[in-house]
Amino acid sequence: DQQVKQNSPSLSVQEGRISILNCDYTNSMFDYFLWYKKYPAEGPTFLISISSIKDKNEDGRFTVFLNKSAKHLSLHIVPSQPGDSAVYFCAASGSSGTYKYIFGTGTRLKVLA
Amino acid sequence: EAQVTQNPRYLITVTGKKLTVTCSQNMNHEYMSWYRQDPGLGLRQIYYSMNVEVTDKGDVPEGYKVSRKEKRNFPLILESPSPNQTSLYFCASTREGGEQFFGPGTRLTVL
């Protein structure tokens, strides 16, 4: 049973436009969410996180939105750049302090120049 | 430079031949984890450790062992590897607050 789902395996966006990556979860006990970016032949790198007490967190071109009632979060990248082309994973944790994360299956983003 | 290192990066082995993948971090983090990544399944946690001598099973622990004798090292041991353990493995170290730092990955093939 996949508790964290990324239903879009891939996404293509023109350079300069907005990229929106989506993530759904089923466990209402999840209270901390993260997004990671992964390039080929490298480990995932942390992008941005959000706690369940917030509904939005921004860091430069990256914004994460959390809709707790819908059990949905999204990552917005504005403007998208070719260097953003990578696989993006969302992850969720249900127990603050234990750092036990459940990952989604990933979305491959391709930003077209 | 803060980093997580894994060795080897690539390994081809045969069924039943014991192997160890090493993981080391230089950030003095207490929490470390091992994940495997498989197509269509994302990253799944194998084992984690909350401190020296404290380890626990993740979501897919069968066929794996770990040890945590020092804070910086967290080796993953496959006592008798099988072909279904062919995968891409990542070690991660977590700082207080939750941000995880991942190693570069170990691609394992079991024939």
Side-chain angles (χ1 to χ4, degrees):
Chain A
D1 178 33
Q2 194 76 27
Q3 295 187 70
V4 178
K5 300 178 186 178
Q6 293 177 257
N7 292 318
S8 298
S10 63
L11 174 69
S12 291
V13 171
Q14 284 295 133
E15 181 179 6
R17 306 294 292 265
I18 184 171
S19 295
I20 300 176
L21 295 95
N22 295 304
C23 180
D24 296 296
Y25 60 95
T26 57
N27 190 337
S28 58
M29 298 301 292
F30 287 149
D31 60 5
Y32 187 61
F33 305 88
L34 308 92
W35 283 95
Y36 288 85
K37 177 167 73 173
K38 185 183 179 303
Y39 293 120
E42 294 183 12
T45 54
F46 170 78
L47 258 181
I48 192 168
S49 64
I50 188 166
S51 150
S52 61
I53 62 173
K54 292 185 164 185
D55 55 18
K56 177 182 172 181
N57 190 25
E58 276 183 271
D59 185 1
R61 296 187 296 116
F62 302 92
T63 302
V64 56
F65 296 92
L66 176 62
N67 182 334
K68 290 184 288 292
S69 60
K71 296 192 183 69
H72 176 84
L73 66 154
S74 61
L75 174 69
H76 292 211
I77 307 173
V78 183
S80 301
Q81 299 173 353
D84 296 329
S85 297
V87 177
Y88 290 78
F89 292 97
C90 65
S93 172
S95 304
S96 298
T98 67
Y99 308 138
K100 182 169 167 35
Y101 296 108
I102 306 294
F103 280 77
T105 52
T107 296
R108 183 177 301 278
L109 173 66
K110 189 170 184 179
V111 180
L112 306 169
Chain B
E1 179 192 353
Q3 60 181 352
V4 178
T5 55
Q6 292 179 230
N7 283 291
R9 294 289 313 276
Y10 302 91
L11 179 60
I12 300 174
T13 189
V14 295
T15 299
K17 187 176 180 182
K18 180 179 178 181
L19 66 92
T20 299
V21 184
T22 64
C23 173
S24 184
Q25 52 99 358
N26 63 359
M27 294 166 280
N28 203 36
H29 292 161
E30 292 182 348
Y31 194 96
M32 298 182 73
S33 307
W34 274 103
Y35 294 87
R36 59 179 288 174
Q37 183 187 2
D38 301 290
L41 296 175
L43 289 105
R44 293 179 294 166
Q45 192 178 53
I46 303 169
Y47 267 94
Y48 63 96
S49 170
M50 297 186 74
N51 212 329
V52 175
E53 303 291 2
V54 181
T55 63
D56 205 351
K57 296 176 181 178
D59 298 314
V60 287
E62 293 77 22
Y64 304 95
K65 283 175 57 178
V66 292
S67 71
R68 188 88 182 276
K69 300 192 186 307
E70 322 164 79
K71 188 181 271 192
R72 65 182 292 122
N73 295 324
F74 189 42
L76 178 69
I77 303 154
L78 284 73
E79 294 269 2
S80 183
S82 62
N84 65 12
Q85 292 178 297
T86 292
S87 187
L88 179 57
Y89 291 86
F90 290 102
C91 180
S93 175
T94 305
R95 75 171 183 187
E96 200 161 331
E99 178 183 347
Q100 284 185 302
F101 296 82
F102 283 84
T106 295
R107 186 166 291 282
L108 172 66
T109 301
V110 183
L111 302 174

